[in-house]
Amino acid sequence: MIINHPLLGPRDSAEFVYLGDASLIDRPDPETATAEDWHAYGYLRDNPAGELRELWFHEGGDRSWLVVTRNTLTHEITSVEMARDVARAQGRSK
Amino acid sequence: MTQKNRVSGGLIDRATTLKFMFDGKSYEGHPGDTLASALLANNVRLMGRSFKYHRPRGPLTAGSEEPNAIVELRGGARQEPNTRATTAELYNGLLAKSQNRWPSLAFDAMAINDRFSNFLTAGFYYKTFMWPAAFWEKLYEPIIRKAAGLGSLSMRADPDAYDKGFRHCDLLIIGAGPAGLMAALTAGRGGKEVILADEDFALGGRLNAETGLLETGDWLNATIAELSSLPNVRLMSRTTVIGAFDHGIYGAVERVSDHLHTPDVGKPRQILWRIYAKQSLLCAGATERPIAFENNDRPGIMLAGAVRTYVNRYAATPAQRVAVFTNNDDGHRTAVDLQARGVKVAAVIDTRADAPLADAYEVIRGGQVVDSKGRRGLTFVEVKQADGSMRTVECGALGVSGGWNPNVHLTCHQRGRPTWDDGLAAFVPGGELPPGMQVAGAANGVFSTHGALTSGAKAAAKMMGVKAAKAPKAEDAPVSQTPFWYVEGCSRAWLDQQNDVTVKDVKLSHQEGFRSVEHLKRYTTLGMATDQGKTSNMGGLAIMAELAGKAIPEVGTTIFRPPYTPTAIGVLGGRMRGMEFHPTRLTPSHFWAKERGAVFVEVGNWLRAQWFPLPGETHWRQSVDREVTATRASVGVCDCTTLGKIDVQGTDAAAFLNKVYCNGFAKLAVGKTRYGLMLREDGIAMDDGTAGRLAEDHFVVTTTTANAAKVYQHMEFVRQCLFPDMDVQLISTTEAWAQYAVAGPNSRRLLQKIVDAVHDISNEAFPFMACGNITVCGGLRARLFRISFSGELAFEIAVPARYGDALMRRLMAAGEEFDVTPYGTEALGVMRIEKGHAAGNELNGTTTALNLGMGRMVSKAKDSIGSKLSERPGLNAADALMQVGIKPRDPGDKITAGGHLMLLGGPVDAAHDQGYVTSAAFSPTLGSMIGLGFLKNGGLREGERMRLVSPVTDLTVEVDIVSAHFVDPEGERVRA
């Protein structure tokens, strides 16, 4: 597969390490989260036949974490974003 | 007589004669021959024995789809089994052996199987060898494997090299026949980057195998010359595109040296290319399909198109008298070409009642071949004529044509499923093709030469947005293919000749309820041999459809997967074998350690000194015990460069470490180091190490050797994905610094000779857990950490990596007066077990901070990764496992890691399990073996006597549960 890195252009997926569902960005707020929230965050994942947002780490490159939207049926990649930008857009900060 | 069956013409170089051996007999051929064509020229039709019944077999085809002529090529370590004689290029000195026969090809003892064929039908293995189950592995399978095996391996290391390479192009054209050549001309003239790959050693496809396709005879050579002259076109012959992978990535195997006796010096045997193509055009042509009839597998019976290839391209006829059995006009071409070369055409048997007649040879209209004779080679065929009468046609070879199947394979490597074309009675590319791929020529069902040429040009022109090249005048005969799969009434009519699957087997499997095409395939093994059923799958499908009363497209096809043709594991591995399987990382003291005669051990990618044997030491334990004792008595030095080092900088560096470590780092003073435990978010311990604060905004974190990459990745995840606004930067500096542990009561005295005098490293000025930037050896920048893994007074000193070798030599010279001892990873391990420090065996992915005896380290005053889920009740049960020390009652007894702790009197079973041992070593300090382990509620069970049981090593030992800190439990030494 080829991942179109937002900063570095098209790169072979062999340069990357795969982590999984991008929902890992949504770490519960430790002040307010319930045990159920932590359980869902830690253990529950959707397994869609279709578009999935997932985290890839450019270990053989610039060490960016990316959010890659990939169709699990066709492997078509429709969007690649810097995970940091995604995290900020979702309200994460310090 | 040599080359008795050589005819005139052909693309062989008669000026040069090549000698080769087949089954110990010497023959001659010419450059341009394949092994199969040279053998046929020498009147050898018998080239192998079939897989199951050991029936005599000759080549069916003249290409990579060959099921029968499978040989062992070359000798010695280069011996390669299961090589197709039809694609093996002839070279001087070629050595080949037939396979799957004993004692000889002409007389094969296992051919007795053929007499028992009634018992060896479809599903035979499943039915016969079911009982008793235990017999399968030990008795049946070895016997079957021996009897049914294909070629044999040399059992020696492959002496050849294999490479991997990468190429990019605008258009990858797969197949250099008429369509592929026109596409290359079109895109090449248009200035596009083009790769034209073909599995054959000669470009041209069927243009090399047929006569009269083009009006101008030199078009092929002129076209190859023009393409060779274009700098933007790369011609890759001997290159098979084996797979179409995601996003326009194609795998291709180039056989660089297979046509040579041995590869040229410095050249690989094969190269695996990864081709990144913006678009691709599949011009893979078509494969002829046979017609099944009784005993259709005798040597001499082959596809009609293959006969033309042998006669026209290789100037070799399979026999002096040849008949043809066909259901279409193509068979007649074979007769015409044979006659042109002076070969006698016995008859053309055409299933069609209205078949065209010819003056030059006899045509048996509406005839069918119903049987053949000749044990080791065809002698005659039995023909049933249109009026039902029988007739014998004498012939040494029979060309069979049932029409052609487009080579759709690569279109199916992702989601494509071929669709049925009624007009062609064949599957054509359909469904979702790999993105960026189009198909032209015969592969797309365009069978005339004119059609192939123009469809290749048009497709390339459209894809590349350039002008189509003009095609030469070419044959444009209308194509009519009607289905004719097998002759009525036959039973031992071979469909899959390589796996010995007959029409009867397909019928039997249907009768026994295997109705899905995938079930049929697995039950009968149809299409599961090395040729992947390229000539046989369609016949099987057609018969199955007929039995089920369905149309062929309703039955569907099995799935084509990469690779297109058999691919050597060697070329997939490339250079990555033996020690080159992964990179080898050497420590800065490696060459020094080698000089000292160190024994090395692989730790991840690293080579680390395991121990340093001295003259007279004959057992590793002697060396390791000495290293431990000497370090604890005076001073030892160990290279710990391999531990991961991560530089953490920024105004939020301390806040960041507070997140990744479960214990607090915000209040750590500059110039101090702290032990830190990292948890996974689920509360399980991930890694441990130290973090030294060199400045308000600068920490140096260490990780274990094994987890260095993983911890770095995790920290970047926390930084980028969870706390994106923290002002903190990370960089791995593992390779940048050479770091040595200097341990033992004399370690300070030794370092004082190395560290520049301006830096006071006395206990008062540089106490336990201190750290700082210093200089050594007269101004060289260095870092010093007063940390201890051994439990002794100890330091870790780091210098820029390029000074690592020099520093080690300097430490050894300066330490002579203290009898300084280098120690390896074994002594390091013994000392950390003696001290009770957890390592990889304890941080094993199942243990929590609580289990490790560090439950109170998990700060409740702050949020950190894993802190919340570590509070789960299940991880905090009253009888949770806790780390303990284990000592045998009898100092002579053994302790083994993996052994389980049981109550002295209770039963020994999983239900009564109390815990387990994670690490064990002989402690020279205590004079017995000791162990670390986890025991239920272990914190309160010190002094208890238990049993250590290891059913695996048949061990039962009485042990005492003790403190995990065998040495200096109060920690006085580290603070000295």
Side-chain angles (χ1 to χ4, degrees):
Chain A
M1 291 199 297
I2 293 172
I3 293 173
N4 197 2
H5 192 300
L7 303 178
L8 302 174
R11 313 296 311 174
D12 195 297
S13 62
E15 295 174 3
F16 294 80
V17 173
Y18 180 76
L19 182 64
D21 196 321
S23 68
L24 282 167
I25 293 174
D26 313 324
R27 185 170 183 263
D29 181 348
E31 302 292 320
T32 57
T34 63
E36 283 70 29
D37 295 336
W38 283 103
H39 173 254
Y41 174 70
Y43 298 103
L44 301 183
R45 302 282 182 276
D46 288 334
N47 183 21
E51 282 204 342
L52 178 66
R53 281 159 60 81
E54 50 195 23
L55 284 161
W56 291 74
F57 180 55
H58 200 197
E59 186 164 62
D62 74 341
R63 308 186 299 277
S64 287
W65 277 97
L66 304 179
V67 173
V68 175
T69 306
R70 183 179 64 101
N71 187 315
T72 57
L73 291 175
T74 62
H75 291 184
E76 188 192 4
I77 291 174
T78 45
S79 123
V80 184
E81 302 155 274
M82 302 294 291
R84 193 174 208 164
D85 295 342
V86 172
R88 281 180 176 141
Q90 287 173 209
R92 302 204 69 87
S93 179
K94 285 194 177 185
Chain B
M1 183 183 161
T2 61
Q3 304 194 46
K4 178 181 163 217
N5 286 344
R6 200 57 95 176
V7 296
S8 61
L11 302 175
I12 54 167
D13 173 14
R14 286 164 204 266
T16 308
T17 296
L18 305 175
K19 287 194 184 306
F20 70 99
M21 302 270 283
F22 178 65
D23 277 349
K25 218 176 143 193
S26 183
Y27 299 95
E28 287 179 354
H30 298 294
D33 262 325
T34 62
L35 173 59
S37 74
L39 284 171
L40 288 177
N42 284 282
N43 199 26
V44 177
R45 288 173 299 175
L46 174 59
M47 297 188 198
R49 291 268 174 175
S50 70
F51 185 72
K52 195 157 119 186
Y53 299 122
H54 292 250
R55 299 208 9 138
R57 294 280 168 80
L60 176 71
T61 74
S64 65
E65 69 272 34
E66 177 59 33
N68 283 341
I70 307 286
V71 299
E72 264 170 32
L73 207 58
R74 304 174 199 265
R78 288 196 164 84
Q79 176 178 314
E80 189 185 23
N82 311 335
T83 306
R84 289 147 297 168
T86 50
T87 58
E89 275 178 73
L90 199 66
Y91 54 82
N92 206 29
L94 180 146
L95 200 67
K97 271 194 311 195
S98 58
Q99 302 182 161
N100 203 28
R101 86 290 189 269
W102 184 87
S104 76
L105 187 55
F107 176 78
D108 178 1
M110 289 302 287
I112 192 77
N113 280 3
D114 201 26
R115 306 274 176 228
F116 295 105
S117 62
N118 279 344
F119 304 98
L120 295 171
T121 51
F124 155 73
Y125 297 155
Y126 307 111
K127 292 169 188 162
T128 313
F129 298 109
M130 283 298 288
W131 183 90
F135 276 28
W136 175 254
E137 204 176 309
K138 292 207 169 69
L139 183 66
Y140 296 146
E141 190 181 336
I143 290 174
I144 292 169
R145 281 203 186 280
K146 193 167 184 304
L150 289 164
S152 60
L153 295 166
S154 73
M155 304 310 283
R156 288 155 67 179
D158 187 341
D160 293 328
Y162 299 83
D163 263 329
K164 292 185 185 180
F166 302 83
R167 280 187 175 156
H168 297 77
C169 60
D170 295 316
L171 182 64
L172 168 66
I173 302 164
I174 302 157
L181 288 167
M182 282 303 294
L185 271 184
T186 298
R189 286 176 185 166
K192 300 295 180 183
E193 293 292 328
V194 176
I195 292 176
L196 176 61
D198 196 291
E199 61 176 354
D200 204 328
F201 55 93
L203 302 181
R206 288 305 293 175
L207 295 178
N208 290 321
E210 307 280 4
T211 55
L213 296 187
L214 300 178
E215 282 187 11
T216 42
D218 56 353
W219 183 83
L220 175 57
N221 287 330
T223 300
I224 293 171
E226 182 184 342
L227 291 172
S228 308
S229 75
L230 292 174
N232 52 321
V233 176
R234 189 186 289 274
L235 301 179
M236 296 179 73
S237 58
R238 302 188 174 103
T239 303
T240 308
V241 176
I242 57 170
F245 303 99
D246 291 311
H247 303 172
I249 301 173
Y250 293 81
V253 174
E254 182 180 7
R255 292 175 299 281
V256 180
S257 308
D258 280 3
H259 60 297
L260 305 173
H261 184 275
T262 42
D264 291 337
V265 176
K267 293 279 187 190
R269 184 184 161 218
Q270 299 180 349
I271 300 174
L272 179 67
W273 292 104
R274 183 184 282 224
I275 300 174
Y276 298 81
K278 287 185 188 143
Q279 297 188 69
S280 74
L281 187 60
L282 182 68
C283 305
T287 300
E288 200 167 14
R289 56 197 194 201
I291 298 171
F293 57 87
E294 198 77 8
N295 293 312
N296 61 332
D297 63 332
R298 297 197 193 282
I301 300 177
M302 56 179 74
L303 292 166
V307 173
R308 293 202 295 285
T309 305
Y310 286 118
V311 170
N312 295 330
R313 175 174 172 181
Y314 298 112
T317 181
Q320 291 299 324
R321 193 182 158 85
V322 182
V324 174
F325 178 29
T326 185
N327 75 336
N328 63 79
D329 290 350
D330 248 20
H332 294 258
R333 283 188 187 175
T334 306
V336 171
D337 287 351
L338 283 166
Q339 273 204 322
R341 309 276 171 168
V343 180
K344 172 78 184 152
V345 176
V348 173
I349 301 115
D350 196 319
T351 60
R352 300 171 297 180
D354 60 347
L357 293 173
D359 294 334
Y361 51 85
E362 185 192 358
V363 176
I364 303 176
R365 279 178 159 180
Q368 294 184 9
V369 175
V370 294
D371 202 355
S372 76
K373 287 284 177 317
R375 181 68 189 158
R376 278 171 229 145
L378 184 67
T379 51
F380 63 86
V381 292
E382 298 273 10
V383 178
K384 186 175 170 192
Q385 301 183 100
D387 61 5
S389 64
M390 299 299 288
R391 181 178 154 186
T392 298
V393 174
E394 225 178 286
C395 54
L398 177 75
V400 182
S401 180
W404 295 77
N405 289 325
N407 288 331
V408 301
H409 308 73
L410 264 70
T411 67
C412 305
H413 281 185
Q414 286 168 36
R415 288 161 62 77
R417 293 291 172 270
T419 51
W420 181 254
D421 183 319
D422 257 329
L424 293 174
F427 279 105
V428 293
E432 276 180 60
L433 266 53
M437 180 190 277
Q438 293 195 28
V439 194
N444 209 24
V446 182
F447 284 155
S448 84
T449 311
H450 171 78
L453 290 163
T454 48
S455 76
K458 273 187 192 160
K462 200 166 166 217
M463 292 169 89
M464 297 286 107
V466 296
K467 199 167 149 270
K470 194 166 177 294
K473 283 219 161 89
E475 158 279 325
D476 195 16
V479 175
S480 89
Q481 284 197 170
T482 48
F484 194 97
W485 308 107
Y486 67 98
V487 170
E488 247 356 286
C490 63
S491 75
R492 296 197 80 201
W494 265 260
L495 291 167
D496 183 334
Q497 300 210 12
Q498 194 171 6
N499 265 355
D500 275 341
V501 181
T502 62
V503 172
K504 184 179 150 191
D505 291 324
V506 174
K507 289 182 173 171
L508 183 67
S509 97
H510 177 82
Q511 193 182 319
E512 294 182 358
F514 294 90
R515 304 288 159 94
S516 145
V517 58
E518 298 287 354
H519 289 160
L520 167 77
K521 170 177 165 173
R522 281 152 187 85
Y523 193 56
T524 62
T525 71
L526 177 79
M528 288 175 73
T530 61
D531 66 339
Q532 292 284 291
K534 290 193 177 68
T535 56
S536 59
N537 280 345
M538 267 310 301
L541 288 181
I543 292 166
M544 200 176 154
E546 183 184 293
L547 294 170
K550 288 182 182 171
I552 290 175
E554 285 179 77
V555 174
T557 62
T558 55
I559 297 166
F560 298 107
R561 295 188 180 87
Y564 175 63
T565 50
T567 301
I569 291 289
V571 74
L572 298 179
R575 302 263 173 187
M576 294 168 72
R577 61 183 193 187
M579 280 306 284
E580 273 71 52
F581 184 66
H582 55 65
T584 300
R585 302 173 80 182
L586 303 182
T587 63
S589 68
H590 180 81
F591 294 102
W592 163 84
K594 216 171 159 185
E595 286 167 28
R596 303 273 303 214
V599 172
F600 293 95
V601 60
E602 284 181 59
V603 181
N605 290 345
W606 292 96
L607 277 186
R608 294 188 74 180
Q610 201 171 7
W611 61 85
F612 294 83
L614 286 183
E617 290 175 347
T618 54
H619 190 277
W620 65 270
R621 264 277 311 282
Q622 293 172 306
S623 310
V624 173
D625 289 358
R626 171 183 50 75
E627 288 170 16
V628 170
T629 309
T631 300
R632 293 215 185 279
S634 178
V635 60
V637 179
C638 180
D639 190 330
C640 53
T641 304
T642 62
L643 269 71
K645 308 180 199 79
I646 300 167
D647 224 51
V648 181
Q649 298 196 37
T651 53
D652 289 322
F656 176 74
L657 292 184
N658 251 357
K659 291 291 184 190
V660 293
Y661 284 121
C662 69
N663 50 324
F665 274 82
K667 288 177 190 148
L668 184 65
V670 173
K672 289 287 180 193
T673 307
R674 184 171 286 171
Y675 174 83
L677 182 66
M678 280 187 202
L679 304 182
R680 310 192 309 218
E681 193 69 270
D682 64 0
I684 300 292
M686 174 164 65
D687 198 61
D688 69 345
T690 60
R693 193 167 199 172
L694 293 177
E696 200 58 39
D697 58 354
H698 184 192
F699 290 80
V700 175
V701 164
T702 67
T703 74
T704 58
T705 300
N707 285 337
K710 206 175 87 183
V711 168
Y712 181 80
Q713 178 190 328
H714 169 72
M715 287 170 68
E716 283 289 4
F717 171 78
V718 174
R719 184 180 80 93
Q720 296 177 38
C721 300
L722 300 185
F723 305 103
D725 288 336
M726 274 194 181
D727 174 25
V728 60
Q729 303 295 330
L730 311 174
I731 190 166
S732 166
T733 60
T734 305
E735 295 87 348
W737 295 88
Q739 191 152 324
Y740 302 133
V742 182
N746 282 323
S747 56
R748 183 184 295 115
R749 255 169 258 155
L750 168 53
L751 280 174
Q752 276 166 338
K753 295 177 71 180
I754 299 283
V755 174
D756 291 340
V758 292
H759 305 288
D760 184 357
I761 59 168
S762 67
N763 198 31
E764 296 70 37
F766 202 79
F768 182 54
M769 298 309 272
C771 70
N773 287 308
I774 54 160
T775 57
V776 298
C777 304
L780 175 64
R781 69 194 175 102
R783 289 169 175 175
L784 191 65
F785 306 86
R786 192 169 158 193
I787 52 182
S788 175
F789 200 41
S790 58
E792 297 296 324
L793 165 66
F795 299 81
E796 287 188 14
I797 183 166
V799 293
R802 64 184 177 282
Y803 295 102
D805 180 83
L807 178 64
M808 181 57 93
R809 290 176 199 275
R810 195 68 74 89
L811 284 166
M812 288 298 121
E816 233 170 275
E817 62 175 291
F818 310 111
D819 290 325
V820 64
T821 301
Y823 65 93
T825 54
E826 287 298 327
L828 178 87
V830 170
M831 286 192 277
R832 74 100 190 159
I833 294 171
E834 289 179 338
K835 180 64 184 171
H837 279 152
N841 293 9
E842 287 73 37
L843 298 161
N844 59 16
T846 70
T847 50
T848 62
L850 177 75
N851 300 148
L852 292 160
M854 297 188 265
R856 266 174 291 176
M857 263 177 68
V858 184
S859 169
K860 308 263 187 216
K862 58 151 190 167
D863 166 49
S864 68
I865 304 295
S867 62
K868 271 287 179 303
L869 286 175
S870 74
E871 292 168 12
R872 284 180 287 172
L875 298 179
N876 295 278
D879 65 346
L881 294 169
M882 299 280 277
Q883 191 174 317
V884 294
I886 294 133
K887 250 182 91 172
R889 292 284 299 166
D890 177 345
D893 273 346
K894 213 174 150 184
I895 298 219
T896 48
H900 279 248
L901 295 164
M902 299 287 173
L903 296 176
L904 260 190
V908 177
D909 56 31
H912 296 82
D913 186 31
Q914 298 293 301
Y916 62 101
V917 180
T918 48
S919 299
F922 178 81
S923 163
T925 315
L926 278 82
S928 78
M929 287 204 75
I930 56 171
L932 296 179
F934 293 105
L935 178 62
K936 281 183 182 172
N937 200 15
L940 297 176
R941 294 173 76 171
E942 233 171 79
E944 192 172 324
R945 198 180 297 178
M946 303 191 76
R947 268 187 304 171
L948 174 64
V949 181
S950 171
V952 178
T953 50
D954 202 19
L955 177 93
T956 305
V957 175
E958 275 195 31
V959 295
D960 283 329
I961 302 305
V962 296
S963 156
H965 309 292
F966 296 92
V967 167
D968 189 25
E970 305 304 324
E972 285 164 11
R973 295 186 197 178
V974 295
R975 291 185 175 80

